[in-house]
Amino acid sequence: MCADIDYQAQSHFVRRLHQLFGNGGTSHLDLACGTGPHIRHFVDSGFQCQGLDLNQPMLDRAKLRCPEADFILDDMCAFSVAAPVDVITCFLYSIHYSGTIANLKACIESAHAALAPGGMFCFNVVEKNKIDNRLFVRHGAKHSDGDFMFASGWHYNGEGEKQSLKLSIEKRAGLDTLIWHDEHPMVAVSFEEMTALLEPYFEVTVFEHDYEKILPVGSNAGNAFFACVKK
Ligand SMILES: C[S@@+](CC[C@H](N)C(=O)[O-])C[C@H]1O[C@@H](n2cnc3c(N)ncnc32)[C@H](O)[C@@H]1O
């Protein structure tokens, strides 16, 4: 499903933000790290990395991919670290998995407590008021056991703090077609609400969701990248 994601460009973008706004340190923690694709790039760039995820099978794969890194089985909404870190990331909109505004606030507080002075917390966000329930991102991937078609789209009913990520996977192998549908509950938040939650703890800058350029976010953006420097 992540076959066409440019993990190198995303990791490089954060390292540039860290050079510009961060504290110059080299310890990194990736929240909701999954199988560790970003951690691989951070390790290769000279960072000492940790990954945190709720799912042990994901962490097992991450450890195979990144034997140099340490991995923590924990909830990003209630975690602590043994020693403060310089950069905390949470990629692929995974911060929305915090599920509720109360949990999102707890995640922000945990990240703030885990950062060294001047450390930076970076993540991407979808603006709830810009979600178009009809839009789906689709892509295909060929694999040894079949041809896959993936689709994903945000769904928000226009009020409240819940949105969902709708996913479908279609697998064609020979004459057989298998289709899976899934829906992940997530927290819905506007950029303004997110900024207000962060501001007691961080200097917040919101950027365009473009990993090639570092630009302030435009007023019509539906996705953005938040860079938050610990106060
Ligand atoms: C879409 S994957 C993203 C993985 C990785 N960041 C990437 O960009 O490929 C979302 C990950 O979030 C993890 N996750 C969901 N809720 C979490 C929570 N409360 N605390 C920690 N990890 C969580 C899942 O186990 C999954 O590995």
Side-chain angles (χ1 to χ4, degrees), residues 2 5 7 10 30-38 52-56 58 74-77 90-94 97-98 165 184 186:
C2 299
I5 295 178
Y7 286 108
Q10 296 185 4
D30 191 27
L31 301 179
C33 65
T35 61
H38 296 97
L52 180 149
D53 202 283
L54 263 188
N55 184 295
Q56 187 60 50
M58 289 293 211
D74 209 345
D75 183 346
M76 65 182 167
C77 304
C90 188
F91 286 102
L92 208 60
Y93 303 98
S94 301
Y97 278 108
S98 48
L165 181 64
H184 295 186
M186 295 183 127

Side-chain angles (χ1 to χ4, degrees), residues 1 97 131-138 150-157 163-169 180-186:
M1 195 146 196
Y97 278 108
I131 289 175
D132 180 341
N133 294 336
R134 296 163 303 179
L135 283 186
F136 278 82
V137 177
R138 290 190 168 79
F150 303 98
S152 61
W154 296 109
H155 189 274
Y156 181 55
N157 72 8
Q163 69 189 38
S164 62
L165 181 64
K166 294 191 177 192
L167 302 157
S168 71
I169 306 174
W180 292 266
H181 291 288
D182 204 354
E183 188 163 349
H184 295 186
M186 295 183 127

Side-chain angles (χ1 to χ4, degrees), residues 108 190-201 204 226:
I108 290 167
S190 66
F191 293 162
E192 200 179 333
E193 287 166 346
M194 181 64 95
T195 304
L197 289 171
L198 289 158
E199 270 180 339
Y201 308 95
V204 182
F226 279 64

Side-chain angles (χ1 to χ4, degrees), residues 29 35 59-60 62 64 131 203:
L29 167 66
T35 61
L59 295 178
D60 293 343
L64 287 175
I131 289 175
E203 297 293 344

Side-chain angles (χ1 to χ4, degrees), residues 14-85:
V14 168
R15 289 197 304 276
R16 288 287 294 132
L17 292 178
H18 179 54
Q19 281 171 354
L20 293 169
F21 304 106
N23 67 3
T26 56
S27 54
H28 166 236
L29 167 66
D30 191 27
L31 301 179
C33 65
T35 61
H38 296 97
I39 293 179
R40 185 66 263 158
H41 290 291
F42 275 84
V43 168
D44 292 343
S45 304
F47 282 79
Q48 296 85 51
C49 296
Q50 299 174 71
L52 180 149
D53 202 283
L54 263 188
N55 184 295
Q56 187 60 50
M58 289 293 211
L59 295 178
D60 293 343
R61 283 175 165 238
K63 187 67 184 173
L64 287 175
R65 195 200 289 264
C66 313
E68 308 90 336
D70 294 321
F71 291 95
I72 309 161
L73 179 67
D74 209 345
D75 183 346
M76 65 182 167
C77 304
F79 72 93
S80 58
V81 287
V85 297

